[in-house]
Amino acid sequence: MKIINIKTKSKHYNIYIGHDIFAKLKKIIKKENIQFKNSLLIVDKKVPKNFIKKIKSNINSTKKIVYLFNASEKNKNFKSINSILEILFKNNFTRNDVIICVGGGITGDISGFASSLYKRGMKFINIPSTLLSQVDSSIGGKTGVNNKFGKNLIGSFCQPDLVISDTKLLKSLPRREVVCGYAEIFKHSLIANKKLFLFLDKNLSNILKLNPKFIQKAILESCKVKKQIVEKDEKENNLRKSLNLGHTFGHAYEATLNYSSKLNHGEAVLYGILSATKLSKKLNLLGKNDYEQILSHLSKLKFTNLSKLFSRKDLKKIINFMANDKKNVSKKLNLITLKKIGRVNISKQYNTVQIRNFIKSELLK
Ligand code: GLY
């Protein structure tokens, strides 16, 4: 079992990473000195029942309430937050009680947000159940909900008190979900750690098969990258923007397909990374060797051809979504581009027409 300590200005907390660590949950919570009388477990309905049972039996509290959440972007809203707050009020929870989340990014965002609102903030333990949430959303304290104006537009920065990432939970994930989480690990390597990129490139098949030794190293190193970034820039004023590598393109690709199951978030990010890599090469920001290494890795993952999903008739929609991305604060496009494997440009802006022509060149008529 490995422990990473996250030290942000607002809170210091530990992330535990290991295989089958739930049996030690009581001990870990005690060691972390997280005290509470009552607990509300917010659990994604998709989490296998045996895990819920195991987690429940390893929590010490007077009241132990389980709220099963039907995690979807549609349910990531204020109605769900209100339902959670009502349970807390009806059961007389105090600020010293705890919400324990067991689920993926959506459940984590909802649970973290509710914990930040109830009586101005109660305790929050996150047990991420997907690879994506173990390497990304459980670290750094972004919480929130969607509304009719867009995704994640209402929320707070609220760091958890503890994160437990058990790789045994990942066994129940379909391969597409594993690739989805892998996209963020790969992204972290490109942003800040060439050694991690080389490890991923060499061991891709073992990692995607969730071989414990390999997946744990990939998660650990990936979390270390995110740790370094959020510790320096918790509120995304500058450095944290680097985590958007591939995301402005990726969000536009997901949105253009109306968030259909044809393309999940991680797959959109992989296509986004493909576009950011090709753009960086085209603008002579990225050298040939690194470009070829990234493309070769994406080809192992089978993400090298944007034309599989889009044609030139989609161009207008894609560009409109890119320009409206909430991270874009001016008419020009803020895009993260690559300098080399392990280094990115954060504050460059690109002309919308230039980007439109670039995407056009990537698509068939
Ligand atoms: N997922 C990007 C961030 O946490 O900032």
Side-chain angles (χ1 to χ4, degrees), residues 182-194:
Y182 180 79
E184 301 292 342
I185 300 179
F186 175 48
K187 179 196 78 177
H188 288 154
S189 79
L190 294 179
I191 293 170
N193 189 340
K194 174 137 190 192

Side-chain angles (χ1 to χ4, degrees), residues 152-295:
N152 298 325
L153 295 180
I154 304 166
S156 59
F157 283 97
C158 170
Q159 305 295 339
D161 295 280
L162 171 67
V163 179
I164 312 254
S165 288
D166 192 325
T167 49
K168 201 172 177 187
L169 263 173
L170 306 179
K171 287 280 176 211
S172 61
L173 295 180
R175 188 188 149 97
R176 267 185 92 187
E177 282 287 321
V178 175
V179 172
C180 183
Y182 180 79
E184 301 292 342
I185 300 179
F186 175 48
K187 179 196 78 177
H188 288 154
S189 79
L190 294 179
I191 293 170
N193 189 340
K194 174 137 190 192
K195 223 171 126 194
L196 174 58
F197 171 83
L198 295 173
F199 170 79
L200 299 177
D201 202 41
K202 191 168 162 212
N203 300 296
L204 181 65
S205 134
N206 271 317
I207 293 167
L208 294 181
K209 275 189 217 142
L210 301 174
N211 178 326
K213 194 174 128 213
F214 293 92
I215 190 69
Q216 272 177 48
K217 185 172 161 71
I219 294 173
L220 181 75
E221 295 306 322
S222 176
C223 288
K224 281 186 190 164
V225 171
K226 189 151 183 194
K227 165 192 159 75
Q228 281 160 10
I229 294 171
V230 298
E231 283 185 350
K232 289 193 189 115
D233 179 21
E234 182 181 3
K235 300 279 168 74
E236 197 170 313
N237 293 315
N238 187 26
L239 185 65
R240 191 163 178 170
K241 289 185 186 148
S242 63
L243 295 173
N244 293 323
L245 175 66
H247 279 60
T248 304
F249 284 112
H251 284 150
Y253 298 153
E254 293 180 272
T256 301
L257 292 178
N258 222 353
Y259 299 98
S260 100
S261 54
K262 260 202 238 170
L263 184 72
N264 69 27
H265 176 69
E267 291 163 347
V269 167
L270 286 172
Y271 278 116
I273 291 174
L274 171 71
S275 300
T277 305
K278 287 192 160 182
L279 178 71
S280 306
K281 172 72 174 52
K282 195 163 188 165
L283 299 177
N284 290 324
L285 302 165
L286 178 70
K288 189 167 175 277
N289 275 352
D290 281 8
Y291 170 77
E292 281 173 359
Q293 281 190 72
I294 299 170
L295 263 277

